[in-house]
Short mmCIF file of all heavy atoms in Angstrom, two decimals:
data_model
loop_
_atom_site.label_atom_id
_atom_site.label_comp_id
_atom_site.label_asym_id
_atom_site.label_seq_id
_atom_site.Cartn_x
_atom_site.Cartn_y
_atom_site.Cartn_z
N ILE A 1 -5.71 -5.10 0.39
CA ILE A 1 -4.49 -4.55 -0.20
C ILE A 1 -3.80 -3.63 0.81
O ILE A 1 -2.58 -3.71 1.02
CB ILE A 1 -4.80 -3.80 -1.50
CG1 ILE A 1 -5.38 -4.76 -2.54
CG2 ILE A 1 -3.55 -3.10 -2.03
CD1 ILE A 1 -6.02 -4.06 -3.73
N GLU A 2 -4.57 -2.75 1.46
CA GLU A 2 -4.00 -1.84 2.44
C GLU A 2 -3.33 -2.60 3.58
O GLU A 2 -2.24 -2.24 4.02
CB GLU A 2 -5.06 -0.91 3.00
CG GLU A 2 -4.49 0.07 4.03
CD GLU A 2 -5.50 1.08 4.54
OE1 GLU A 2 -6.49 1.37 3.84
OE2 GLU A 2 -5.28 1.58 5.66
N GLN A 3 -3.96 -3.64 4.06
CA GLN A 3 -3.39 -4.45 5.15
C GLN A 3 -2.05 -5.04 4.72
O GLN A 3 -1.08 -5.01 5.48
CB GLN A 3 -4.37 -5.55 5.52
CG GLN A 3 -3.92 -6.39 6.69
CD GLN A 3 -4.97 -7.44 7.06
OE1 GLN A 3 -5.87 -7.75 6.28
NE2 GLN A 3 -4.83 -7.98 8.24
N LYS A 4 -1.97 -5.55 3.50
CA LYS A 4 -0.73 -6.13 2.99
C LYS A 4 0.35 -5.06 2.83
O LYS A 4 1.50 -5.27 3.18
CB LYS A 4 -1.02 -6.82 1.65
CG LYS A 4 0.18 -7.35 0.93
CD LYS A 4 0.71 -8.60 1.56
CE LYS A 4 1.77 -9.23 0.66
NZ LYS A 4 3.01 -9.46 1.35
N VAL A 5 -0.03 -3.91 2.31
CA VAL A 5 0.94 -2.82 2.11
C VAL A 5 1.48 -2.33 3.46
O VAL A 5 2.68 -2.13 3.62
CB VAL A 5 0.32 -1.66 1.30
CG1 VAL A 5 1.22 -0.44 1.29
CG2 VAL A 5 0.01 -2.12 -0.12
N ARG A 6 0.59 -2.16 4.44
CA ARG A 6 1.04 -1.76 5.78
C ARG A 6 2.04 -2.77 6.35
O ARG A 6 3.07 -2.39 6.92
CB ARG A 6 -0.14 -1.63 6.73
CG ARG A 6 -0.94 -0.37 6.58
CD ARG A 6 -2.09 -0.33 7.61
NE ARG A 6 -2.89 0.86 7.47
CZ ARG A 6 -2.61 2.02 8.07
NH1 ARG A 6 -1.55 2.14 8.84
NH2 ARG A 6 -3.40 3.06 7.90
N ALA A 7 1.74 -4.05 6.20
CA ALA A 7 2.63 -5.10 6.71
C ALA A 7 3.98 -5.07 5.99
O ALA A 7 5.04 -5.19 6.63
CB ALA A 7 1.98 -6.47 6.55
N ASP A 8 3.97 -4.88 4.67
CA ASP A 8 5.23 -4.82 3.91
C ASP A 8 6.06 -3.61 4.33
O ASP A 8 7.29 -3.71 4.46
CB ASP A 8 4.95 -4.76 2.41
CG ASP A 8 4.48 -6.08 1.85
OD1 ASP A 8 4.55 -7.11 2.55
OD2 ASP A 8 4.02 -6.09 0.68
N LEU A 9 5.41 -2.47 4.53
CA LEU A 9 6.15 -1.27 4.94
C LEU A 9 6.69 -1.41 6.36
O LEU A 9 7.81 -1.00 6.65
CB LEU A 9 5.27 -0.04 4.80
CG LEU A 9 4.94 0.38 3.36
CD1 LEU A 9 3.88 1.47 3.34
CD2 LEU A 9 6.20 0.83 2.63
N ALA A 10 5.92 -2.01 7.26
CA ALA A 10 6.39 -2.23 8.63
C ALA A 10 7.58 -3.18 8.63
O ALA A 10 8.54 -2.99 9.39
CB ALA A 10 5.26 -2.76 9.50
N GLU A 11 7.53 -4.18 7.77
CA GLU A 11 8.66 -5.11 7.67
C GLU A 11 9.90 -4.41 7.15
O GLU A 11 11.00 -4.62 7.64
CB GLU A 11 8.29 -6.27 6.74
CG GLU A 11 9.36 -7.33 6.65
CD GLU A 11 8.95 -8.49 5.76
OE1 GLU A 11 7.75 -8.78 5.66
OE2 GLU A 11 9.85 -9.11 5.18
N ALA A 12 9.71 -3.54 6.16
CA ALA A 12 10.84 -2.78 5.62
C ALA A 12 11.45 -1.87 6.69
O ALA A 12 12.66 -1.71 6.76
CB ALA A 12 10.40 -1.96 4.42
N CYS A 13 10.58 -1.28 7.52
CA CYS A 13 11.05 -0.40 8.60
C CYS A 13 11.59 -1.18 9.79
O CYS A 13 12.20 -0.59 10.68
CB CYS A 13 9.90 0.50 9.07
SG CYS A 13 9.52 1.86 7.94
N ARG A 14 11.33 -2.45 9.81
CA ARG A 14 11.71 -3.30 10.95
C ARG A 14 11.11 -2.78 12.24
O ARG A 14 11.76 -2.72 13.28
CB ARG A 14 13.22 -3.44 11.06
CG ARG A 14 13.82 -4.12 9.86
CD ARG A 14 15.28 -4.35 10.00
NE ARG A 14 15.77 -4.97 8.77
CZ ARG A 14 17.00 -5.30 8.57
NH1 ARG A 14 17.90 -5.05 9.49
NH2 ARG A 14 17.35 -5.87 7.44
N GLY A 15 9.86 -2.36 12.14
CA GLY A 15 9.16 -1.83 13.31
C GLY A 15 7.91 -1.08 12.88
O GLY A 15 7.37 -1.30 11.80
N GLU A 16 7.51 -0.18 13.73
CA GLU A 16 6.28 0.57 13.48
C GLU A 16 6.46 1.61 12.39
O GLU A 16 7.56 2.10 12.15
CB GLU A 16 5.83 1.25 14.77
CG GLU A 16 5.43 0.29 15.87
CD GLU A 16 4.96 1.02 17.11
OE1 GLU A 16 4.16 1.96 16.97
OE2 GLU A 16 5.41 0.64 18.21
N ILE A 17 5.34 1.94 11.76
CA ILE A 17 5.34 2.99 10.74
C ILE A 17 4.41 4.12 11.17
O ILE A 17 3.57 3.95 12.05
CB ILE A 17 4.88 2.44 9.36
CG1 ILE A 17 3.46 1.87 9.43
CG2 ILE A 17 5.87 1.43 8.83
CD1 ILE A 17 2.87 1.48 8.09
N GLU A 18 4.60 5.28 10.56
CA GLU A 18 3.74 6.42 10.80
C GLU A 18 3.58 7.18 9.49
O GLU A 18 4.31 6.94 8.53
CB GLU A 18 4.28 7.32 11.91
CG GLU A 18 5.68 7.86 11.66
CD GLU A 18 6.24 8.61 12.86
OE1 GLU A 18 5.57 8.68 13.90
OE2 GLU A 18 7.35 9.12 12.75
N LYS A 19 2.62 8.10 9.46
CA LYS A 19 2.33 8.91 8.27
C LYS A 19 2.09 8.02 7.04
O LYS A 19 2.61 8.28 5.96
CB LYS A 19 3.44 9.92 8.02
CG LYS A 19 3.58 10.92 9.16
CD LYS A 19 4.61 11.97 8.85
CE LYS A 19 4.74 12.94 10.02
NZ LYS A 19 5.76 13.94 9.77
N PHE A 20 1.30 6.98 7.24
CA PHE A 20 0.98 6.05 6.16
C PHE A 20 0.02 6.69 5.17
O PHE A 20 -0.94 7.35 5.55
CB PHE A 20 0.34 4.78 6.75
CG PHE A 20 -0.14 3.81 5.72
CD1 PHE A 20 0.75 2.98 5.06
CD2 PHE A 20 -1.48 3.74 5.39
CE1 PHE A 20 0.31 2.08 4.10
CE2 PHE A 20 -1.94 2.85 4.43
CZ PHE A 20 -1.03 2.02 3.78
N GLU A 21 0.30 6.52 3.90
CA GLU A 21 -0.57 7.00 2.83
C GLU A 21 -0.69 5.89 1.78
O GLU A 21 0.28 5.18 1.53
CB GLU A 21 0.03 8.23 2.14
CG GLU A 21 0.25 9.42 3.01
CD GLU A 21 0.98 10.54 2.27
OE1 GLU A 21 1.10 10.47 1.02
OE2 GLU A 21 1.43 11.47 2.94
N ILE A 22 -1.85 5.76 1.19
CA ILE A 22 -2.01 4.81 0.10
C ILE A 22 -3.02 5.38 -0.90
O ILE A 22 -3.98 6.05 -0.51
CB ILE A 22 -2.45 3.42 0.60
CG1 ILE A 22 -2.36 2.38 -0.52
CG2 ILE A 22 -3.82 3.46 1.24
CD1 ILE A 22 -2.44 0.94 -0.06
N THR A 23 -2.75 5.17 -2.16
CA THR A 23 -3.68 5.55 -3.21
C THR A 23 -3.97 4.33 -4.07
O THR A 23 -3.10 3.47 -4.25
CB THR A 23 -3.14 6.69 -4.09
OG1 THR A 23 -1.89 6.28 -4.65
CG2 THR A 23 -2.95 7.96 -3.31
N PHE A 24 -5.19 4.27 -4.57
CA PHE A 24 -5.61 3.16 -5.40
C PHE A 24 -6.04 3.67 -6.77
O PHE A 24 -6.57 4.78 -6.88
CB PHE A 24 -6.80 2.43 -4.77
CG PHE A 24 -6.49 1.81 -3.44
CD1 PHE A 24 -6.88 2.44 -2.27
CD2 PHE A 24 -5.81 0.61 -3.35
CE1 PHE A 24 -6.61 1.88 -1.04
CE2 PHE A 24 -5.53 0.04 -2.13
CZ PHE A 24 -5.92 0.67 -0.97
N LEU A 25 -5.85 2.85 -7.77
CA LEU A 25 -6.29 3.18 -9.12
C LEU A 25 -6.92 1.92 -9.71
O LEU A 25 -6.31 0.85 -9.70
CB LEU A 25 -5.11 3.62 -9.98
CG LEU A 25 -5.40 3.94 -11.44
CD1 LEU A 25 -6.33 5.15 -11.54
CD2 LEU A 25 -4.12 4.21 -12.19
N ASP A 26 -8.14 2.05 -10.19
CA ASP A 26 -8.81 0.92 -10.83
C ASP A 26 -8.07 0.57 -12.11
O ASP A 26 -7.96 1.38 -13.02
CB ASP A 26 -10.27 1.28 -11.13
CG ASP A 26 -11.06 0.13 -11.72
OD1 ASP A 26 -10.49 -0.97 -11.91
OD2 ASP A 26 -12.25 0.33 -11.98
N ALA A 27 -7.53 -0.63 -12.17
CA ALA A 27 -6.79 -1.08 -13.34
C ALA A 27 -7.47 -2.30 -13.96
O ALA A 27 -6.82 -3.16 -14.54
CB ALA A 27 -5.36 -1.43 -12.92
N THR A 28 -8.79 -2.35 -13.83
CA THR A 28 -9.56 -3.45 -14.38
C THR A 28 -9.33 -3.56 -15.88
O THR A 28 -9.28 -2.56 -16.59
CB THR A 28 -11.06 -3.24 -14.09
OG1 THR A 28 -11.24 -3.22 -12.67
CG2 THR A 28 -11.92 -4.34 -14.68
N SER A 29 -9.16 -4.79 -16.34
CA SER A 29 -8.88 -5.02 -17.76
C SER A 29 -10.09 -4.72 -18.62
O SER A 29 -11.22 -4.61 -18.12
CB SER A 29 -8.44 -6.47 -17.98
OG SER A 29 -9.56 -7.33 -17.84
N ARG A 30 -9.87 -4.57 -19.90
CA ARG A 30 -10.97 -4.30 -20.84
C ARG A 30 -12.00 -5.42 -20.83
O ARG A 30 -13.16 -5.21 -21.12
CB ARG A 30 -10.43 -4.11 -22.24
CG ARG A 30 -9.66 -2.85 -22.38
CD ARG A 30 -9.20 -2.67 -23.80
NE ARG A 30 -8.30 -1.52 -23.88
CZ ARG A 30 -7.68 -1.16 -24.96
NH1 ARG A 30 -7.84 -1.84 -26.07
NH2 ARG A 30 -6.88 -0.12 -24.94
N GLY A 31 -11.56 -6.62 -20.48
CA GLY A 31 -12.46 -7.76 -20.41
C GLY A 31 -13.24 -7.84 -19.12
O GLY A 31 -14.01 -8.76 -18.90
N GLY A 32 -13.01 -6.87 -18.21
CA GLY A 32 -13.75 -6.82 -16.96
C GLY A 32 -13.10 -7.56 -15.80
O GLY A 32 -13.69 -7.70 -14.75
N VAL A 33 -11.85 -8.03 -15.98
CA VAL A 33 -11.15 -8.71 -14.89
C VAL A 33 -10.63 -7.65 -13.92
O VAL A 33 -9.89 -6.76 -14.33
CB VAL A 33 -9.99 -9.57 -15.44
CG1 VAL A 33 -9.24 -10.25 -14.30
CG2 VAL A 33 -10.50 -10.59 -16.44
N PRO A 34 -11.04 -7.74 -12.64
CA PRO A 34 -10.66 -6.69 -11.69
C PRO A 34 -9.19 -6.72 -11.30
O PRO A 34 -8.65 -7.77 -10.96
CB PRO A 34 -11.55 -6.98 -10.48
CG PRO A 34 -11.81 -8.44 -10.55
CD PRO A 34 -11.85 -8.78 -12.01
N HIS A 35 -8.55 -5.58 -11.40
CA HIS A 35 -7.18 -5.38 -10.95
C HIS A 35 -7.14 -4.01 -10.26
O HIS A 35 -7.89 -3.11 -10.62
CB HIS A 35 -6.17 -5.37 -12.10
CG HIS A 35 -6.15 -6.61 -12.92
ND1 HIS A 35 -5.96 -7.87 -12.38
CD2 HIS A 35 -6.32 -6.80 -14.25
CE1 HIS A 35 -5.97 -8.77 -13.35
NE2 HIS A 35 -6.20 -8.14 -14.50
N THR A 36 -6.25 -3.87 -9.29
CA THR A 36 -6.10 -2.60 -8.58
C THR A 36 -4.63 -2.22 -8.51
O THR A 36 -3.82 -2.97 -7.95
CB THR A 36 -6.66 -2.70 -7.15
OG1 THR A 36 -8.01 -3.16 -7.22
CG2 THR A 36 -6.61 -1.36 -6.45
N ALA A 37 -4.28 -1.09 -9.06
CA ALA A 37 -2.93 -0.55 -8.92
C ALA A 37 -2.90 0.29 -7.65
O ALA A 37 -3.90 0.90 -7.27
CB ALA A 37 -2.58 0.31 -10.13
N TYR A 38 -1.77 0.29 -6.96
CA TYR A 38 -1.67 1.04 -5.72
C TYR A 38 -0.27 1.57 -5.50
O TYR A 38 0.71 1.05 -6.03
CB TYR A 38 -2.09 0.17 -4.52
CG TYR A 38 -1.25 -1.07 -4.36
CD1 TYR A 38 -0.06 -1.06 -3.64
CD2 TYR A 38 -1.63 -2.26 -4.95
CE1 TYR A 38 0.71 -2.19 -3.50
CE2 TYR A 38 -0.87 -3.41 -4.82
CZ TYR A 38 0.30 -3.36 -4.10
OH TYR A 38 1.08 -4.49 -3.98
N THR A 39 -0.20 2.65 -4.72
CA THR A 39 1.07 3.22 -4.28
C THR A 39 0.93 3.48 -2.78
O THR A 39 -0.01 4.14 -2.34
CB THR A 39 1.36 4.55 -4.99
OG1 THR A 39 1.41 4.31 -6.40
CG2 THR A 39 2.68 5.14 -4.53
N GLY A 40 1.84 2.93 -2.01
CA GLY A 40 1.85 3.13 -0.56
C GLY A 40 3.13 3.81 -0.12
O GLY A 40 4.17 3.68 -0.77
N ARG A 41 3.03 4.54 0.98
CA ARG A 41 4.18 5.29 1.48
C ARG A 41 4.04 5.42 2.99
O ARG A 41 2.94 5.62 3.51
CB ARG A 41 4.19 6.67 0.82
CG ARG A 41 5.21 7.63 1.33
CD ARG A 41 5.02 8.99 0.64
NE ARG A 41 5.83 10.01 1.23
CZ ARG A 41 7.01 10.40 0.76
NH1 ARG A 41 7.50 9.87 -0.33
NH2 ARG A 41 7.69 11.35 1.37
N ALA A 42 5.14 5.30 3.70
CA ALA A 42 5.12 5.48 5.15
C ALA A 42 6.53 5.84 5.64
O ALA A 42 7.52 5.51 5.01
CB ALA A 42 4.67 4.21 5.86
N GLU A 43 6.54 6.53 6.77
CA GLU A 43 7.81 6.83 7.43
C GLU A 43 8.00 5.82 8.56
O GLU A 43 7.05 5.37 9.17
CB GLU A 43 7.79 8.26 8.00
CG GLU A 43 7.70 9.31 6.92
CD GLU A 43 7.68 10.72 7.46
OE1 GLU A 43 7.94 10.93 8.68
OE2 GLU A 43 7.42 11.64 6.67
N CYS A 44 9.26 5.49 8.80
CA CYS A 44 9.59 4.58 9.89
C CYS A 44 9.53 5.36 11.20
O CYS A 44 10.10 6.46 11.29
CB CYS A 44 10.98 3.98 9.71
SG CYS A 44 11.17 3.06 8.17
N LYS A 45 8.83 4.82 12.17
CA LYS A 45 8.72 5.48 13.48
C LYS A 45 10.06 5.38 14.19
O LYS A 45 10.67 4.33 14.26
CB LYS A 45 7.61 4.84 14.31
CG LYS A 45 7.23 5.63 15.52
CD LYS A 45 5.96 5.07 16.12
CE LYS A 45 5.50 5.96 17.26
NZ LYS A 45 4.25 5.47 17.83
#
């Protein structure tokens, strides 16, 4: 997930990023199906 988020943010910046932050939250369903909620943030270099 982090690799994908970094790539998406770099694409948005059209170049390198810096001050990358990411947080994860377990959003697994009551039935036990694994899901992960996330928030990523970065500044464009």
Side-chain angles (χ1 to χ4, degrees):
I1 298 166
E2 181 176 335
Q3 184 178 16
K4 174 75 170 125
V5 170
R6 282 181 181 273
D8 287 349
L9 290 171
E11 184 178 331
C13 284
R14 297 185 182 179
E16 295 181 46
I17 60 172
E18 58 187 2
K19 298 184 181 178
F20 175 78
E21 299 174 12
I22 191 166
T23 57
F24 297 101
L25 177 65
D26 183 0
T28 298
S29 72
R30 291 183 187 176
V33 178
H35 301 305
T36 306
Y38 59 87
T39 301
R41 173 184 171 97
E43 295 181 10
C44 301
K45 192 169 186 178

